[in-house]
Amino acid sequence: MSDTMVLGGRRKEIWPAGQPLAFEDDRVIAITKFADTADYHPALIARIAELAKSTAASRPIGSAGGTKIYHLERWNCPEADFVSARAAALFAEILNAPGVIDISWANIYRRGDYSLPHSHVRSIASIVYFLDLGESGGSDPLGGRFSIVDPRLALCCPQQEQCMTEPYLPGLSAGSMIIFPAQIVHWVHPYQGSRPRITLAWNFARKPEAA
C-alpha cells in the first residue's frame, strides 16, 4: 500500500509522521485522532448524505442501528478510500501485519437511534471512525456515546475481575479512530441530537473469508 494518496489535487500522507496513539487496557484498545480532517470531511459527509437518499444504497433498520450504508469501496468517493486506507494503516500499526477488510459501512444515527450491545463475527479487529458526532442535547448526558461493556476487559471490571460494573466511555471527537478486538462487546447510547451522527466502521481479518 502506498504511503500517500492524492486527495483534492494534492498528495496526502495516509499515516502522518508522528501520528499519536493512546492505549487502554494493556494495549487491547488504541485510539488516534487525525488533525487534517478539514481536507476530507466535508466531501465525505456530502457523499454519505447523497448515498443515504438511495434506497438501493442504504439499509434503514429502525431505531436499533439507524441507517447503514455498506461497502465504502463502492462509493466512488476518494475521501472514503482515503479514510479506509487510514483504517488499514492503523490495523497494520497495531497488529504488526496487514489485514483485509471483511466489511465496511457508515452508520447514520438520527434522534432516537442507538445500537444494542454486540460484537462482530469473522474478524479479529473492529475500527470505528468518528466523522460527525452530531449534537449534544436532551436529558441523557450519555446520548450518542460509544461505549464498551465487556467483562473480559479490566477497565470495565474495577471492582471484581470478570464482573462488568463500569462502561468504558472513551473521549472521542470528530477525526478520532478507535481499534479494538472484534469480539469486544460495544454499543451506542440512544442519540438525542438533531443533526445526524455519522461514523464509519470496518471489520478486519488477517485473510479473506473462505467462500
Side-chain angles (χ1 to χ4, degrees), residues 59-68 106-109 112-116:
R59 290 181 56 189
I61 56 174
S63 294
T67 298
K68 297 186 184 297
N107 288 299
I108 304 172
Y109 289 83
D113 288 342
Y114 60 94
S115 74
L116 295 169

Side-chain angles (χ1 to χ4, degrees), residues 5-187:
M5 290 180 65
V6 175
L7 198 65
R10 47 193 194 100
R11 190 163 290 278
K12 289 182 60 65
E13 289 183 301
I14 293 171
W15 193 258
Q19 180 66 25
L21 276 170
F23 295 93
E24 293 283 359
D25 209 273
D26 197 25
R27 301 177 70 89
V28 171
I29 298 166
I31 301 172
T32 191
K33 183 178 179 180
F34 297 99
D36 57 353
T37 57
D39 293 342
Y40 56 93
H41 274 197
L44 186 48
I45 291 170
R47 180 59 175 153
I48 290 171
E50 180 184 16
L51 290 169
K53 295 175 182 177
S54 168
T55 55
S58 63
R59 290 181 56 189
I61 56 174
S63 294
T67 298
K68 297 186 184 297
I69 306 173
Y70 289 93
H71 305 298
L72 274 70
E73 72 279 4
R74 301 178 188 174
W75 290 4
N76 191 27
C77 178
E79 292 79 13
D81 296 338
F82 181 69
V83 182
S84 285
R86 285 192 159 174
L90 177 59
F91 179 94
E93 180 77 15
I94 298 303
L95 281 86
N96 298 311
V100 296
I101 297 173
D102 178 65
I103 193 168
S104 60
W105 67 98
N107 288 299
I108 304 172
Y109 289 83
R110 298 177 176 87
R111 186 185 296 274
D113 288 342
Y114 60 94
S115 74
L116 295 169
H118 64 283
S119 54
H120 296 288
V121 300
R122 292 203 312 259
S123 306
I124 62 170
S126 294
I127 293 177
V128 182
Y129 182 74
F130 295 82
L131 185 61
D132 186 344
L133 273 70
E135 299 168 337
S136 60
S139 59
D140 184 1
L142 298 180
R145 290 287 299 273
F146 173 85
S147 179
I148 289 176
V149 286
D150 197 296
R152 292 164 291 189
L153 296 182
L155 56 77
C156 292
C157 305
Q159 298 184 36
Q160 179 178 318
E161 185 177 356
Q162 296 185 351
C163 183
M164 206 296 294
T165 57
E166 295 288 340
Y168 170 53
L169 294 157
L172 302 163
S173 57
S176 294
M177 183 178 281
I178 184 170
I179 183 171
F180 51 93
Q183 293 73 34
I184 294 298
V185 179
H186 57 286
W187 72 300

